[in-house]
Amino acid sequence: MEKIAPTTAELEVLNILWKKEPLTVKQIHDAICKTKAVGYTTTLKIMQKMTTKGLLRREPNGKSHLYYSNYEKEETRGRLLDRFIDSAFGGSASSLVMQLLGNKKTSKQEMEEIMQIIEHMENETPSK
């Protein structure tokens, strides 16, 4: 399966599906409408395009269809992050982290979580 990076609107649909799938167009539309006004046909068109692109699959369910994501959340986020790091930071993850920590007040709890992740990664990385 080809790796396709979703658009912002497509990612919004995927985030809803990743919480609880399968869902109908109406269920996804209702979830989107909780945060912004969008027409039902707009939601339907986005999901039809996503199905054509291979981001979603649909299965008949009576008079409607149930939609499923074809990609896992972590796989998709990783792909989007890699693309962002490559395009905005020249492939440098450390530049991204330094920019992020410099632009936003990071809480003590967040810093502790980051340090735990780094420590965990160091302990799992074999010494050369």
Side-chain angles (χ1 to χ4, degrees):
M1 189 179 306
E2 182 184 343
K3 305 295 183 193
I4 300 171
T7 66
T8 302
E10 292 168 346
L11 193 56
E12 187 173 13
V13 170
L14 287 171
N15 277 315
I16 293 166
L17 277 171
W18 287 328
K19 289 178 186 168
K20 182 182 178 185
E21 62 182 330
L23 294 171
T24 64
V25 174
K26 181 179 180 344
Q27 291 169 313
I28 292 171
H29 175 71
D30 290 347
I32 291 171
C33 286
K34 289 178 182 176
T35 59
K36 67 180 179 183
V38 63
Y40 178 85
T41 56
T42 301
T43 303
L44 175 62
K45 189 70 172 170
I46 290 168
M47 292 178 65
Q48 288 172 336
K49 286 181 180 180
M50 291 175 73
T51 302
T52 301
K53 289 170 66 174
L55 290 169
L56 301 180
R57 72 179 189 283
R58 71 180 193 176
E59 296 178 4
N61 183 41
K63 292 184 178 183
S64 63
H65 287 89
L66 292 175
Y67 286 82
Y68 300 81
S69 167
N70 278 336
Y71 293 99
E72 296 294 321
K73 178 170 60 173
E74 293 306 315
E75 174 190 8
T76 303
R77 285 181 173 176
R79 201 168 51 253
L80 289 170
L81 183 59
D82 287 345
R83 187 174 76 180
F84 179 68
I85 291 170
D86 288 344
S87 64
F89 295 93
S92 172
S94 63
S95 292
L96 167 68
V97 172
M98 290 172 30
Q99 182 76 38
L100 178 64
L101 294 176
N103 281 357
K104 181 181 177 211
K105 185 172 176 31
T106 306
S107 72
K108 182 174 178 153
Q109 180 182 350
E110 289 172 321
M111 288 297 291
E112 288 172 2
E113 290 172 7
I114 291 167
M115 292 188 319
Q116 286 176 356
I117 291 169
I118 292 169
E119 185 176 310
H120 179 74
M121 291 173 73
E122 287 177 339
N123 289 337
E124 287 195 357
T125 305
S127 306
K128 292 186 179 182

